Amino acid sequence: MKNSKIRILSLSIEHLKNVQHGSFDFQQEALPAKAFDQSSIIGFYGQNGSGKTTVIQALGLFKQIAMGQPLWTDMEKCINLDSNKATISIKFLIKFDDGKSYHVLYSGTIAKRATYKVGCAFAAEKLSVASEVAGKIPGRMTNLFSYELNFDDKPNFTPKARYDSIVKGQEKKIQASVAMRISQEKKTSLLFSPDFFALLKDSEEMEMIEIVQAINSYANFNLFTITGVHSGLISMDAVIPLSVKY
């Protein structure tokens, strides 16, 4: 696995909790090249009920998604009452130690699904990418891999050529179908699930392998969120606010 460094560039939320439509720009693109290796602090403020807590919770939810963990147990209640689905989109700048840099956009849509006993499941996921050349911010991003469930709950994968490259042969197609069913039943992401990644690793899609692996590693070891529950316990001296990376 290549070493990589990741910064979050932006976050968009649709129909999650009290936020119908909202976006947050972390302004990492304005950092000079040498500052990328250093820590930075970003603060934001707003009125009560403006969605500050939802932003933190959305980052925590993404962490679970990218780790291949199940959605929140009360996920159905977290979708805005005016909608039957919620979408989180998060944009990264990923720099690998071989000099390659990518702007990557992940988008996941979670829907209330009456056809599954689990209550909620992923209705769509999309991974888009653009290469950064000579430090220049890329323009249009291209679809690296995405899927969307149709009304009959059959996934529509795009681009089809890349999907066919990953699931060559009847045996791998069956494995992909099983991976989709397992992710729906367990309420996990397909893109970041171990079953799908096993198929991906066995393919020739090296760019996608490196990006998915980098995001998964970032979520596991470098992305931490402290919620209101955590801060309450810290204020009570019930826990020590330590994050350990081993």
Side-chain angles (χ1 to χ4, degrees):
M1 176 183 172
K2 289 183 181 179
N3 291 325
S4 61
K5 296 175 182 176
I6 299 181
R7 288 291 186 103
I8 297 176
L9 299 178
S10 63
L11 172 71
S12 296
I13 302 169
E14 292 186 14
H15 306 296
L16 181 67
K17 294 203 166 182
N18 65 323
V19 177
Q20 292 192 3
H21 302 280
S23 61
F24 193 85
D25 186 358
F26 289 82
Q27 297 182 347
Q28 302 284 13
E29 293 171 318
L31 289 175
K34 63 180 181 180
F36 190 85
D37 297 332
Q38 303 172 1
S39 299
S40 61
I41 297 175
I42 296 176
F44 61 99
Y45 61 92
Q47 296 178 343
N48 291 339
S50 61
K52 301 186 301 296
T53 301
T54 304
V55 170
I56 301 301
Q57 291 175 332
L59 290 171
L61 177 59
F62 170 76
K63 176 180 172 70
Q64 286 191 223
I65 291 171
M67 288 174 63
Q69 297 296 315
L71 298 170
W72 295 331
T73 54
D74 62 344
M75 191 69 229
E76 189 172 1
K77 296 179 181 178
C78 296
I79 297 176
N80 196 282
L81 293 175
D82 296 331
S83 179
N84 65 349
K85 61 183 180 181
T87 300
I88 294 177
S89 300
I90 186 165
K91 188 178 181 182
F92 307 92
L93 173 57
I94 304 179
K95 292 190 176 184
F96 291 98
D97 55 4
D98 62 358
K100 292 181 180 178
S101 297
Y102 298 95
H103 283 227
V104 178
L105 178 65
Y106 169 81
S107 179
T109 298
I110 302 158
K112 301 173 184 177
R113 304 192 58 75
T115 55
Y116 290 95
K117 295 180 181 180
V118 293
C120 282
F122 282 87
E125 288 186 278
K126 185 174 182 178
L127 197 64
S128 303
V129 64
S131 297
E132 186 180 84
V133 180
K136 293 183 178 180
I137 299 173
R140 183 179 177 183
M141 305 185 79
T142 58
N143 177 20
L144 187 65
F145 188 85
S146 66
Y147 75 89
E148 184 176 2
L149 291 181
N150 299 320
F151 291 109
D152 56 1
D153 286 330
K154 290 183 179 180
N156 177 31
F157 292 98
T158 57
K160 189 176 184 302
R162 180 166 288 112
Y163 176 73
D164 291 340
S165 172
I166 296 171
V167 295
K168 288 181 179 177
Q170 186 62 27
E171 183 178 349
K172 287 190 175 181
K173 288 182 179 179
I174 293 173
Q175 291 175 2
S177 179
V178 171
M180 170 63 78
R181 178 58 64 175
I182 290 174
S183 69
Q184 290 290 302
E185 290 179 351
K186 290 186 175 181
K187 298 191 289 184
T188 63
S189 158
L190 174 67
L191 280 172
F192 295 104
S193 68
D195 301 283
F196 181 78
F197 190 68
L199 283 169
L200 183 60
K201 281 180 65 177
D202 198 33
S203 72
E204 298 177 355
E205 299 295 330
M206 292 307 302
E207 183 181 61
M208 185 175 173
I209 293 170
E210 291 172 355
I211 289 173
V212 171
Q213 200 167 28
I215 295 174
N216 175 262
S217 177
Y218 172 71
N220 273 282
F221 302 113
N222 292 310
L223 178 60
F224 302 98
T225 59
I226 298 177
T227 65
V229 174
H230 297 137
S231 61
L233 292 172
I234 292 168
S235 298
M236 292 170 59
D237 291 331
V239 296
I240 300 174
L242 294 179
S243 293
V244 179
K245 178 181 177 182
Y246 178 70

